[in-house]
Amino acid sequence: METFLVKSKQALPNLSAYEKIRVVLGNQSCDLDSAVCALVQGLFQYYDVQKENRVNVAVIPVMNIFEKEFRVKTEVLYYLKHHKVPLSLLTFRDQIDLHALNVENKLELVLVDHHTLTDEDSLLADSVVEIIDHRPQDAAWSWTGKRINLQTVGSCATLVAKTVLEKHPNLVDSQISNLLRGPILVDTCNFSREADRATPTDFEVIQSLEEVGSLDTERDVVYREILSAKTDISGLTPGDLMIKDLKVVNGVPIVGFPILVMDFLALNGAFEAIGTFTKSRYCSLTVLIGMDLKNNVVSRDIGVFSLDFNELENKIIQALTSSTDPNLDLVEDSRHLGKGMNLIVYRQRNVRATRKQILPIIQSASTGCRC
């Protein structure tokens, strides 16, 4: 991995010397699954290019956030450092101009852990050559004519690992096996029956990784260590937590917390942070999604924050509370009213419903509305 990342970083200031730049791009949350998939898929794209002796192609995995924001991704920082991935060799979104490469017709874009593009990035669609994602197909993004691997499994790392194990098993060493195992454990909640997020494919792949990589550290230990790093917010401000795990659909920010929304609100300056963040996104509304995993017991809640009472707020609340696929089983926990702001927090009794399933509800409710 380090040899590949050195080559990738060396190519970055000399992109004009290459005929094509193959970028492996994770999603905008840059969580552990997204980061690991970008790195490992990038490594094997690089191997294929080298095998074909295509010296005119540079392969660069890109973390889809600004470099200054990476410090809030505590579990990613921990896990990459723990498995000897030099953080100085990572490439971030503000270090490469994908739009300029697209205009120059040099960009070959591989999407991992997502298959939709933001409004800003929609111009890059023609440069996409491959998509690997574990979310259900978004009808608005059919991607005809592209190499597509869309399967509903627990983790995108499962799909990346499955392909790598099948096509290049000789290159899967202990480091790669460990890197891929981590996000699979996180995204399946360590194969928890209560969370019910794992599929037979997840089970098969992680077993293969453990055998090929000769991994002897217990899954429970790995999972607890990652979870500890993820929930270690001691060095983060409420403002940091607002961007730690962020997704956006139809302009609506959806903030994921490694703690419950109600626990976040107990932090000093939490309400001010939500308001400041919402205004900075030029939006009147933010959805907050909290999760707690104490003692392997999952708890979830959802908050809908609005700077003013508006139609979009009503639509999203109605969609969330009346959803049947999935039924979130929401119960109002608290209501916070203030000058120019409104926040309603719901306890989510169906803890099996994840943010991946909640996003389409918000997307459908917000289509055609202005945030």
Side-chain angles (χ1 to χ4, degrees):
M1 177 64 76
E2 184 170 350
T3 300
F4 158 59
L5 291 177
V6 167
K7 294 289 186 183
S8 168
K9 207 66 172 176
Q10 287 174 343
L12 196 59
N14 302 298
L15 297 182
S16 60
Y18 295 89
E19 181 181 323
K20 291 291 183 180
I21 315 299
R22 187 171 300 173
V23 169
V24 184
L25 185 69
N27 67 43
Q28 287 186 307
S29 72
C30 194
D31 59 8
L32 186 61
D33 194 25
S34 182
V36 166
C37 287
L39 291 172
V40 176
Q41 184 65 25
L43 171 64
F44 291 101
Q45 293 274 342
Y46 173 76
Y47 174 77
D48 283 341
V49 165
Q50 292 296 301
K51 192 175 179 181
E52 297 165 7
N53 199 30
R54 297 180 63 190
V55 295
N56 60 345
V57 178
V59 179
I60 303 177
V62 174
M63 307 291 107
N64 200 2
I65 56 171
F66 286 3
E67 182 181 17
K68 68 180 181 181
E69 297 174 354
F70 191 53
R71 65 181 183 83
V72 308
K73 311 295 180 179
T74 51
E75 74 280 15
V76 184
L77 285 165
Y78 157 74
Y79 207 64
L80 296 188
K81 285 195 290 188
H82 186 65
H83 292 293
K84 297 180 171 52
V85 176
L87 303 185
S88 62
L89 296 179
L90 299 180
T91 298
F92 297 91
R93 185 60 192 266
D94 51 332
Q95 296 174 334
I96 184 169
D97 191 339
L98 300 186
H99 289 272
L101 293 173
N102 183 57
V103 170
E104 295 167 9
N105 199 32
K106 298 179 74 165
L107 180 64
E108 293 181 347
L109 192 58
V110 178
L111 304 180
V112 293
D113 201 26
H114 67 307
H115 68 274
T116 64
L117 296 173
T118 63
D119 290 344
E120 180 185 355
D121 282 346
S122 61
L123 295 173
L124 304 177
D126 287 342
S127 292
V128 173
V129 296
E130 185 173 1
I131 301 103
I132 305 167
D133 193 17
H134 63 129
R135 291 165 181 75
Q137 174 79 54
D138 187 322
W141 295 88
S142 58
W143 294 110
T144 55
K146 313 290 185 181
R147 294 194 303 273
I148 300 176
N149 185 1
L150 290 181
Q151 298 180 48
T152 306
V153 293
S155 172
C156 188
T158 295
L159 301 180
V160 171
K162 189 172 188 293
T163 300
V164 167
L165 286 164
E166 290 172 353
K167 294 187 175 181
H168 307 301
N170 58 310
L171 296 179
V172 183
D173 57 14
S174 176
Q175 181 192 37
I176 299 303
S177 296
N178 270 307
L179 284 173
L180 289 165
R181 183 166 71 153
I184 296 173
L185 291 174
V186 171
D187 283 3
T188 62
C189 296
N190 196 20
F191 295 91
S192 159
R193 290 185 179 180
E194 182 186 21
D196 193 28
R197 294 165 70 172
T199 68
T201 303
D202 296 297
F203 279 103
E204 292 166 11
V205 166
I206 201 167
Q207 287 171 354
S208 296
L209 288 172
E210 289 168 344
E211 291 170 8
V212 172
S214 300
L215 308 185
D216 54 9
T217 306
E218 293 292 329
R219 291 178 187 175
D220 286 350
V221 174
V222 176
Y223 179 67
R224 285 197 304 269
E225 288 176 346
I226 298 174
L227 197 61
S228 177
K230 183 174 183 177
T231 56
D232 180 8
I233 62 174
S234 57
L236 303 181
T237 67
D240 291 334
L241 289 171
M242 293 297 297
I243 64 170
K244 179 173 169 57
D245 191 4
L246 171 66
K247 293 186 184 296
V248 180
V249 296
N250 291 335
V252 177
I254 303 170
V255 175
F257 293 133
I259 57 177
L260 292 175
V261 174
M262 288 302 296
D263 291 335
F264 173 80
L265 295 178
L267 300 176
N268 187 34
F271 283 95
E272 292 82 354
I274 302 171
T276 299
F277 168 84
T278 305
K279 291 173 184 175
S280 74
R281 305 289 303 189
Y282 300 101
C283 193
S284 63
L285 181 143
T286 295
V287 178
L288 311 169
I289 298 181
M291 181 176 72
D292 182 85
L293 274 169
K294 288 191 180 104
N295 301 317
N296 281 339
V297 176
V298 182
S299 300
R300 298 181 185 273
D301 61 0
I302 299 175
V304 180
F305 173 89
S306 180
L307 292 171
D308 297 291
F309 293 102
N310 56 63
E311 180 187 3
L312 179 57
E313 177 193 30
N314 293 333
K315 280 189 172 184
I316 289 178
I317 288 175
Q318 175 63 24
L320 291 172
T321 54
S322 64
S323 174
T324 58
D325 186 22
N327 178 3
L328 302 179
D329 198 3
L330 299 182
V331 176
E332 185 173 324
D333 202 342
S334 63
R335 188 179 291 253
H336 309 265
L337 303 177
K339 187 176 181 180
M341 61 82 72
N342 180 46
L343 172 61
I344 304 176
V345 181
Y346 298 91
R347 182 159 44 93
Q348 182 183 320
R349 292 191 293 194
N350 176 10
V351 297
R352 293 186 174 184
T354 68
R355 186 171 63 167
K356 291 182 181 66
Q357 296 168 288
I358 294 171
L359 257 62
I361 300 172
I362 297 171
Q363 183 176 29
S364 177
S366 60
T367 298
C369 296
R370 290 188 61 185
C371 183

